[in-house]
Amino acid sequence: MSVVLLCLHQSADVFIAESTGKRISGVMATVESKLFEQISGNEEKTQQSSRKVGLVLVGLTGGAAIGLSIIAAPFVAPALRKICLPYVPATTHQVNNVLRALKGRTGTLVDLGSGDGRIVVAAAKSAKLTGVGVELNPWLVWYSRWLAWKKGVSSSTSFMTHDLWKLNLQQYKNVVIFGVEEMMPDLESKLFQELTADGCVVACRFPLPTWQPIATFGEGIDTVWLYRRPNEDNVQHREDDESFVDNR
């Protein structure tokens, strides 16, 4: 009898051990399955997140490139014209020399290729001249308006996005130009045709090719030439030789 009981007891232990082992194995398999699903889910989420981040970066990069192109285009465009008139800010010495040339003048001033508006603003503030800035770059026109407002001369200044070659100069008694050498002959012809008899021209960086200045201020790159409109005989002679034609 005791032998039978011992055998039954041993069989029960084996059965319990096997059952426990199966349950543990089942639990471990379930845990492994859950862990695998969680890891797989995390990896998928990471990949999705990475794709989203990549798309955002591509969108930002593309948007920045388009934005930079829009901003840079007005600054690059002058280089594509027949005569390139780049934006080069006037130095303090150049501004002061222009103001010296305009001393005692009255009437309206126009700055052809006014850039950031500093000449128009300085003339309005120091020489008390009503000023107009003509500039192709719309960003510079908006900046000029802000500068005029900041300096308290917005009521006596105005700025327009316009081609200087298509502007009639008859209404202006004072013309300022920071030009390049290639444009001065054509500009001189335009001035012959449109400048009033009492008008004056202030040329900076490069002089007019055939007009004789009545005064010169500064030296080197800061030189400013002051001109008065020549008499009719000289004008007629110039017009016979070469008339200004706006072919831009």
Side-chain angles (χ1 to χ4, degrees):
M1 183 68 180
S2 61
V3 173
V4 172
L5 290 175
L6 179 61
C7 289
L8 289 175
H9 180 72
Q10 291 178 347
S11 297
D13 290 343
V14 171
F15 175 76
I16 293 172
E18 289 178 353
S19 299
T20 304
K22 289 180 179 181
R23 285 198 296 272
I24 293 173
S25 297
V27 171
M28 292 300 295
T30 302
V31 171
E32 289 178 357
S33 177
K34 294 293 184 180
L35 287 174
F36 179 77
E37 290 177 0
Q38 185 174 358
I39 292 172
S40 299
N42 290 339
E43 289 180 352
E44 184 176 355
K45 289 180 181 179
T46 302
Q47 291 176 355
Q48 291 178 351
S49 178
S50 298
R51 282 196 294 269
K52 290 180 180 179
V53 172
L55 290 174
V56 170
L57 291 176
V58 169
L60 290 175
T61 303
I66 294 173
L68 289 174
S69 298
I70 293 173
I71 294 173
F75 293 91
V76 176
L80 305 178
R81 296 171 63 84
K82 180 180 177 181
I83 295 178
C84 174
L85 184 58
Y87 165 56
V88 181
T91 66
T92 301
H93 290 303
Q94 289 169 343
V95 174
N96 291 336
N97 288 336
V98 169
L99 295 178
R100 289 170 61 193
L102 293 171
K103 186 176 181 180
R105 293 290 300 175
T106 59
T108 303
L109 171 144
V110 62
D111 185 6
L112 303 178
S114 55
D116 58 15
R118 65 182 65 191
I119 291 293
V120 175
V121 170
K125 196 171 182 66
S126 300
K128 307 303 179 184
L129 291 173
T130 300
V132 177
V134 179
E135 172 61 48
L136 272 179
N137 188 327
W139 299 111
L140 292 176
V141 169
W142 282 106
Y143 175 83
S144 300
R145 292 169 180 166
W146 173 82
L147 179 65
W149 171 81
K150 181 182 178 182
K151 297 295 184 180
V153 294
S154 57
S155 61
S156 58
T157 60
S158 61
F159 299 89
M160 66 175 81
T161 305
H162 197 77
D163 188 338
L164 66 88
W165 299 105
K166 298 177 181 178
L167 180 72
N168 193 317
L169 302 177
Q170 291 180 348
Q171 57 186 313
Y172 305 106
K173 293 181 62 177
N174 307 282
V175 179
V176 178
I177 176 68
F178 277 74
V180 294
E181 188 173 10
E182 294 79 8
M183 72 180 292
M184 301 313 277
D186 281 348
L187 179 62
E188 188 180 76
S189 297
K190 181 177 174 65
L191 292 167
F192 267 127
Q193 296 178 23
E194 300 177 7
L195 196 64
T196 59
D198 59 344
C200 80
V201 179
V202 179
C204 312
R205 296 197 179 112
F206 291 96
L208 296 173
T210 65
W211 286 19
Q212 295 301 313
I214 62 173
T216 303
F217 304 90
E219 59 184 9
I221 195 173
D222 297 323
T223 303
V224 167
W225 296 267
L226 176 62
Y227 299 92
R228 290 285 179 84
R229 186 179 185 274
N231 60 49
E232 293 297 328
D233 292 337
N234 290 337
V235 172
Q236 185 62 45
H237 176 71
R238 174 64 181 181
E239 290 177 342
D240 289 342
D241 284 346
E242 180 183 357
S243 296
F244 169 73
V245 179
D246 183 7
N247 56 2
R248 292 161 182 76

